[in-house]
């Protein structure tokens, strides 16, 4: 291949891949730097050490997931906001209420930032996450029959999500509902088919479990309960019903 042909081939690769990079989760190191004078959003540190969830969630997965994937959503969201008039000053929840009016880059990266911020808080080192409150247990028993039946439904939602996405427990205003979303969508978005206040969320993208569980998403889903932060789940449930 001549030097000119090689340059053209590389240019073609860049052109083809750039839209995916702008929306994607897996290209953190190539994410555009935030260009806003003051970035609208920032990545908070994890509320525990990278290895705090070992051996259930390994430190390397946490380091990559938080430091690269989540950082990329933040960077891409800030870059989009800086380039889009009329969105300055909007909160993350404001942006969720108008995702259907904007390009997918907003949906994917606002969702990615919200979902992961929630996800980190919903986990705690084994033995430190507390227990479901009596009021939450009563509601789970009412809506699902038992805690085991709820967990089975939640795991099924995660297992049946084809490709990448999330499993959710949401409060819809009257009852608890299990659902799942594709990509970085979530039940707060204006066009979500099942809406509600997120109570529990599990990331079923392969990047959340592949280093430890490889293709066995089911093993990740069934062992993940051991690192659930029920104290935060209880708080979200109480807040959702205010
Ligand atoms: Mn993720």
């Amino acid at each position: 291949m001549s030097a000119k042909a090689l340059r053209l081939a590389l240019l073609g690769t860049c052109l083809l891949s750039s839209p995916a990079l702008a929306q994607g989760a897996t290209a953190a190191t190539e994410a555009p730097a935030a260009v806003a004078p003051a970035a609208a959003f920032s990545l908070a540190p994890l509320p525990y050490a990278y290895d705090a969830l070992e051996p259930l969630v390994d430190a390397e997965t946490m380091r990559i997931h938080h430091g690269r994937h989540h950082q990329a959503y933040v960077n891409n969201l800030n870059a989009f906001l800086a380039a889009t008039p009329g969105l300055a000053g909007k909160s993350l929840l404001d942006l969720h209420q108008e995702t259907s009016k904007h390009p997918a880059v907003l949906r994917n990266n606002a969702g990615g930032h919200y979902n992961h911020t929630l996800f980190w808080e919903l986990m705690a080192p084994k033995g430190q996450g507390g227990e479901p409150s009596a009021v939450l247990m009563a509601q789970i028993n009412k809506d699902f029959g038992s805690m085991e039946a709820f967990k089975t439904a939640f795991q099924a939602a995660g297992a049946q999500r084809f490709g990448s996405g999330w499993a959710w427990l949401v409060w819809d205003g009257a009852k608890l509902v299990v659902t799942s979303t594709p990509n970085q969508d979530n039940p707060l978005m204006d066009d979500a088919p099942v809406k509600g206040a997120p109570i529990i969320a599990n990331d079923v993208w392969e990047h959340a479990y592949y280093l430890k569980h490889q293709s066995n998403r089911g093993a990740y889903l069934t062992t993940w309960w051991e690192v659930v932060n029920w104290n935060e789940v209880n708080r979200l449930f109480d807040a959702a019903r205010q």
Side-chain angles (χ1 to χ4, degrees), residues 143 169-177 194-199 237 240-241:
D143 293 331
L169 176 69
V170 302
W171 176 251
D172 76 355
K175 63 185 182 301
L176 291 168
V177 178
V194 176
K195 291 189 189 182
I199 307 297
F237 181 56
R241 291 177 307 131

Side-chain angles (χ1 to χ4, degrees), residues 78-90 95 98 101-103 106:
N78 285 333
F80 176 78
L81 294 175
T84 309
L87 294 179
K90 296 217 174 192
L95 295 171
E98 53 185 88
K101 301 176 186 168
H102 298 285
L106 177 67

Side-chain angles (χ1 to χ4, degrees), residues 25 65 69-70 73 112 116 119-120 165-166 184 203-205 207-208:
H65 200 173
H69 291 279
H70 191 172
Y73 298 122
H116 287 85
F119 184 56
W120 311 134
W166 291 75
Q184 295 298 347
D203 187 341
V204 301
W205 284 58
H207 66 227

Side-chain angles (χ1 to χ4, degrees), residues 40-103:
F41 295 99
S42 60
L43 179 65
L46 278 182
Y48 35 73
Y50 286 119
D51 63 356
L53 307 181
E54 289 268 14
L56 294 151
V57 184
D58 62 279
E60 186 65 4
T61 292
M62 291 299 289
R63 199 171 281 116
I64 296 169
H65 200 173
H66 177 265
R68 296 191 196 167
H69 291 279
H70 191 172
Q71 183 71 65
Y73 298 122
V74 171
N75 291 350
N76 291 337
L77 176 59
N78 285 333
F80 176 78
L81 294 175
T84 309
L87 294 179
K90 296 217 174 192
S91 73
L92 207 46
L93 293 182
D94 291 337
L95 295 171
H96 276 67
Q97 287 163 9
E98 53 185 88
T99 46
S100 64
K101 301 176 186 168
H102 298 285

